[in-house]
Amino acid sequence: MKKKDSLENLRNIGIIAHIDAGKTTVTERILYYTGRSHKIGEVHDGEAVMDWMTDEQERGITITSAVTFCQWKDHEFQLIDTPGHVDFTIEVERSLRVLDGAVGVFCAVGGVEPQSETVWRQADKYHVPKMAFVNKMDRIGADYFRAIQMIRERLNAKPVILQLPVGVEESFVGVIDLLGMKQIRWHDDDLGATFSTEEIPEDRLEEAEEYREKLIETVAEVDDALMETYLAEEPVTQAMLTAAIRRATIGMKLVPVLCGSALRNKGIQPLLDAVAAYLPSPAEVRAIQGTNPETGEKVTCLPKKNDPLSALIFKVSMWEGRKLCFARIYGGKLTAGGEVFNTSLGKKEKLSRILRLHANKRERLDEAGPGSIVGLMGLKDASTGDTLCTPGQPLMLERIDFYEPVISLAIEPKTHSDQEKLEQVLAKFLDEDPTLKVRTDEDTGQTILSGMGELHLEIIISRMIREFNTSVNVGKPQVVYREALGKRVEAESVFDKDVAGQHQFGQVRLRLIPRNRGEGNLFRSEVSEETIPAVFIPAIEKGVMESLESGPIMGYPVVDVEAVLTGRSFKESLGTELAFRVSASMACKQAMMEGDAFLLDPIMKVEIFVPEEFVGEVIGDINSRNGKITAIEAERNLQIIRATAPLANLFGYSTALRSATQGRGTFTMQFSHFDRN
């Protein structure tokens, strides 16, 4: 038997799925049956080990990815339980970036739900081999084969059925193993820890043999070695079939499918066996490629302990006021107290501690080698996506893609003490979450907090209060408009006053001409230098530009105007820069009042990703928001709708889109230009 700590026996896996498919419940059973936990924590009771944050326990959902490890027979699993809500997609993205395999959990009633598609595509993006576990077989309306058909159609995957359910809904008691041709039944008296293996009943034997034949045919289609045996009509042994399924799974040609009911403690042990049998070790996945930043040469990072260090920080968290970096080691090793080089920052940093993680609990390690997922303390300046390598042997790994935020809130501190803490608290959140953005709106002075969705921002506000005792008032950010002129207009103004004991005189005549959208403001003079000394022209221009900063309708900046100096009156010795600046400003304001000014809306460029059956409804909704469709493109089983729409009409669009598309639509938006709505 191989040693438990050998690289071949290590499995780095993630549990991925739509919200409420049962990911965390599956993870809790895995921890219990592997002996990692001594009692089963239930999500609905707020006692799940992996959902340790207060907000997770109260809401019954996973918000942040939690890392743990456990032993199963002669294998070691490093496990990440990921969120299922679309607002926390980045947690799935950065977890899949460092994992070698994934178990997709699907509800037997709902099948492939919207976020299931998103996380599955993310796993495909990083070439992560996958298995499927059809959960909740005990629920009313459970349909195992419908769920498998949805996996085939919606995910463009090729499922291979390894088990048949024994009973359905309330009568679900076990599974038929098609490889071993045995029936497995769980006992209800010990939380599913024990089960009995029996012969397949006579009334199910013919069905089992039929599905085993289909299993062999499906695998043989993608595995040449098995195909040769099958065509020669030689017996296919369980060992041969297991090896072929493993090769096909790692090659991402097949998706093994199992079933069970995690809440009723059925189906988890065979799932663990299947993870060990079919998902790859760090030595079996495609070696990650890096780049030498000095030479530009490609570097292959092999999972060898004596090779140079190659590690990626995939997450940053603040624990007990200190920065904890989650890292995946691809090659080489990390040593507590040793130095590492952060290529992304171009500086050396010292590791104070290496930690093995179990949700929010930690164990110290002296060192960690290839394949390990660990927590690192002491890296003060590191952030998500940074590469760690051996000093003197620079290496840059591909950074993690982040998503642009789509929803914003305006926040302001409630008290003076909150004001002092707010900047520091926001800096900590920005360190943790690369999809969170903070900016100060120059026009309104508001602090604008932007994130992936309403729940995302709601959680951030909640954590401000719970973890940092910082309270804020929350409101929608104001839409910042611009103003423009509707017609050509002229005005004249005179400044003739005593200022600080000195008589000052200046007379200016201006013409304001509307320009095309996006051309900006322009000042020019038609007055000769003989008529007015050149020294006063900059003062006149400054007065005009200052007055254009506040329009006549709502005080927003006036844009796309050409201001032309057409005349002036000048008195020798009385003309001053102040007088001409003020008179220019007064003339400009008077002209704007008479120029039929109107508001310009910020127009956003929107990209909407939606399944084909919802295209009509989405287009209708965009049109109702005064949007304009610019293009519609097909990509696989999705339609990409490109449009422009006023920002003011897009508030709440994230929620509206999910409602219109059964949660399956997503969108991105960014500022395009200002225009009349």
Side-chain angles (χ1 to χ4, degrees), residues 16-23 84-85 105 113-116 119 662-663:
I16 61 173
H18 184 84
I19 189 169
D20 203 34
K23 296 179 308 302
H85 196 286
V105 178
E113 296 168 283
Q115 187 65 1
S116 306
V119 297
Q662 299 176 14

Side-chain angles (χ1 to χ4, degrees), residues 591-613:
M592 288 192 295
M593 293 294 291
E594 299 170 1
D596 293 346
F598 56 87
L599 286 178
L600 294 176
D601 279 73
I603 305 298
M604 308 302 287
K605 186 164 58 178
V606 188
E607 281 192 354
I608 309 162
F609 303 83
V610 61
E612 191 168 351
E613 58 263 38

Side-chain angles (χ1 to χ4, degrees), residues 26 103-108 131-138 142-145 147-148 151 160-169 172-178 184 186 204 256-263 265-272 274:
V26 168
V103 177
V105 178
F106 300 93
C107 173
M131 292 172 46
F133 181 72
V134 180
N135 191 29
K136 303 190 178 184
M137 288 299 300
D138 61 307
D143 190 332
Y144 180 53
F145 295 103
I148 292 170
I151 291 172
V160 54
I161 300 172
L162 304 188
Q163 295 175 343
L164 297 176
V166 177
V168 69
E169 299 181 350
F172 176 74
V173 293
V175 298
I176 291 173
D177 172 20
L178 296 176
I184 303 171
W186 275 267
R204 297 291 304 273
V257 182
L258 299 89
C259 64
S261 170
L263 187 63
N265 312 308
K266 296 176 175 66
I268 302 301
Q269 294 92 334
L271 175 63
L272 290 168

Side-chain angles (χ1 to χ4, degrees), residues 479 481 600-606 621-628 643-651 653 669-677:
V479 175
Y481 297 94
L600 294 176
D601 279 73
I603 305 298
M604 308 302 287
K605 186 164 58 178
V606 188
D621 185 54
I622 284 291
N623 289 334
S624 73
R625 296 171 186 270
N626 209 15
K628 296 177 182 176
T644 57
L647 174 61
N649 298 348
L650 289 173
F651 283 117
Y653 184 63
M669 71 176 179
Q670 61 187 50
F671 173 76
S672 174
H673 62 283
F674 283 97
D675 208 344
R676 199 166 191 168
N677 188 350

Side-chain angles (χ1 to χ4, degrees), residues 195-315:
F195 52 88
S196 57
T197 304
E198 312 161 348
E199 294 299 322
I200 300 173
E202 285 292 328
D203 61 339
R204 297 291 304 273
L205 189 56
E206 184 179 343
E207 179 191 7
E209 288 174 344
E210 178 189 343
Y211 273 95
R212 190 176 197 277
E213 187 67 20
K214 288 181 181 178
L215 165 61
I216 295 170
E217 289 176 5
T218 303
V219 180
E221 286 175 6
V222 297
D223 188 85
D224 292 340
L226 190 68
M227 178 62 84
E228 288 181 14
T229 304
Y230 181 69
L231 291 176
E233 297 185 356
E234 297 174 5
V236 176
T237 65
Q238 183 174 347
M240 292 169 61
L241 195 50
T242 299
I245 294 171
R246 178 176 181 78
R247 289 191 295 268
T249 304
I250 294 174
M252 297 186 66
K253 298 174 182 176
L254 291 179
V255 176
V257 182
L258 299 89
C259 64
S261 170
L263 187 63
R264 303 296 172 221
N265 312 308
K266 296 176 175 66
I268 302 301
Q269 294 92 334
L271 175 63
L272 290 168
D273 288 335
V275 168
Y278 307 124
L279 291 181
S281 72
E284 292 170 303
V285 293
R286 186 172 61 178
I288 193 166
Q289 294 278 327
T291 306
N292 184 322
E294 296 176 356
T295 65
E297 294 178 1
K298 291 289 183 184
V299 180
T300 301
C301 306
L302 299 174
K304 296 180 179 179
K305 201 168 188 178
N306 295 326
D307 275 14
L309 173 66
S310 54
L312 182 74
I313 295 174
F314 67 94
K315 180 176 174 176

